Amino acid sequence: MLVGGRHFFDDADPSAVGHKSLAVNLSDLASMGATPRWVTLSLALPAADEAWVASFMRGFLGLARDHDVDLIGGDTTRGPLNICVQIMGEVPAGAALRRDCARLGDDVWVSGTLGDAALAVAHRRGDFDLRAQDLAHALVRLDRPQPRVALGRALRGVAHAAIDVSDGLVADLGHICERSVVAATIEWDTLPKTAVALRYDAHPLVRQAVLAGGDDYELCFTAPPQRAGEVLEAASAAATGITRIGRIVEGTGVSVLDAAGRRLPLKRAGYDHFG
Amino acid sequence: MLVGGRHFFDDADPSAVGHKSLAVNLSDLASMGATPRWVTLSLALPAADEAWVASFMRGFLGLARDHDVDLIGGDTTRGPLNICVQIMGEVPAGAALRRDCARLGDDVWVSGTLGDAALAVAHRRGDFDLRAQDLAHALVRLDRPQPRVALGRALRGVAHAAIDVSDGLVADLGHICERSVVAATIEWDTLPKTAVALRYDAHPLVRQAVLAGGDDYELCFTAPPQRAGEVLEAASAAATGITRIGRIVEGTGVSVLDAAGRRLPLKRAGYDHFG
């Protein structure tokens, strides 16, 4: 459920809102290794704005086509802008990737790169100043995330635990740790940052964006080191870059270490919807 | 998708809102003769009001238990009050009741009684003055509708077309007519009205409530006259009262006739969400 003015800016490009409202749901299925099949869409709109709806649907249905997902139902009504998407997919019985299956000694991996979406949000809020070209790149990441459906499916039977990075890497990996009753250490220097994040590396917001910025919709997953070859093959088959960023260890929580092995202080663990 | 202040009063009993938000979805499945199985629930709330949520869930889960429906997912977020329910059910392939299957000569039937819910709304809005006892009865109909799931299922293979009366009898029967490319005539005197509606019979709002008031969540369906016996048996098996109210004829639209066979004028055909 996405609320106008909260999950997206009220004046956002409706086509991007349509894309993203489906993308975040596809990402949930990706994190379970599921094949998306059907989706329902309910819209509350402040007014019957046909141009807005047409643009929204272009974004929504374009991504649905890309993933061969059928829109099978839903609702429209008048009300404060609200988008409720419900997706259904299929995965062989017992084969779904889960949050509670990380094991001691597992490698921790993440797909793609982290932080751009959060930097775009910070720029829009006026907290950060990105150059025009960097902004354009970061906005694509924020507005048109590409759910890692093919990667999730390829990791079935290979990865132990998986989650999509929607609340931020530390928070989401923390969910895996909590559910699997383990801890994780990740190394700051190994984290995949784009040229944008690297260019502003000295700024304190960058660390925040990479570690705690949500909205990247990459997959974070764990797998035993002896299966690293299969993990890399799965990523290659899915045409998705992945990076090994840390390890599952005993304990609780997620620690981020610098090059000297010192723990980096973390400001905020995740997103509280009622915070 | 139900919006606070639009589909229910903001100060409504949250337990009743919970009941009704599931009931209207169960009613949709009932109108297709489906067996409800799974439901998802997404809530946008202006604040984390635990008492409200607890009461809402009592109403929602109580009805879910009555119908053996499992709550399998959903979402919560902050935002203007919005309740989005998505229900899934099962029906044998090809056996679903539909809107487009009414045939010339079919009887038109409706379950239960019509108009109480709309009179309760009119009372709450100050447009109508119900006696305390009548109000109590009408409010139960408005706030705690009982979806006709058992009746819908019993009508599989017996009824031709079916719909649930959510927008008002004339509007919903009109949907059947439009989709089936037929017309319907119904007789005002045969329409099942409760003691409440009968008591205020002279008031112009009563006719409006019975013919065009939504929120009754009764089933309106058509079946060939030679199967009237089976229809009555199905209703009996489902422990649900039904009334034969008219006939499917050639033409378009729905006509309501008085005892002398004169067409009653209709004020309004249905509910326009953006009106």
Side-chain angles (χ1 to χ4, degrees), chain B residues 6 28 30 77 103 109 111 148 187 190 202 232 268:
Chain B
R6 185 160 184 90
D28 265 339
T77 187
R103 296 287 170 267
W109 300 80
S111 66
R148 303 301 192 182
E187 293 150 37
T190 66
L232 291 165
R268 189 186 112 180

Side-chain angles (χ1 to χ4, degrees), chain A residues 119-140:
Chain A
L119 289 177
V121 171
H123 180 97
R124 277 191 176 157
R125 287 200 177 127
D127 296 338
F128 196 77
D129 195 34
L130 288 169
R131 286 197 239 162
Q133 197 187 330
D134 293 340
L135 177 62
H137 175 87
L139 284 177
V140 170

Side-chain angles (χ1 to χ4, degrees), chain A residues 11-28:
Chain A
D11 61 352
D13 170 10
S15 154
V17 175
H19 174 102
K20 189 161 178 177
S21 64
L22 178 57
V24 300
N25 284 281
L26 288 167
S27 183
D28 265 339

Side-chain angles (χ1 to χ4, degrees), chain B residues 35-99:
Chain B
T35 303
R37 293 280 189 224
W38 311 280
V39 68
T40 64
L41 168 64
S42 294
L43 285 175
L45 301 166
D49 181 342
E50 284 181 36
W52 193 94
V53 172
S55 174
F56 176 92
M57 292 310 297
R58 262 197 307 282
F60 188 95
L61 292 175
L63 188 63
R65 241 184 335 264
D66 291 346
H67 289 274
D68 204 15
V69 170
D70 292 325
L71 176 62
I72 58 163
D75 196 9
T76 52
T77 187
R78 188 197 282 259
L81 188 52
N82 186 304
I83 301 159
C84 192
V85 176
Q86 209 256 179
I87 198 161
M88 288 154 275
E90 292 181 313
V91 67
L97 301 176
R98 304 161 54 107
R99 298 180 178 189

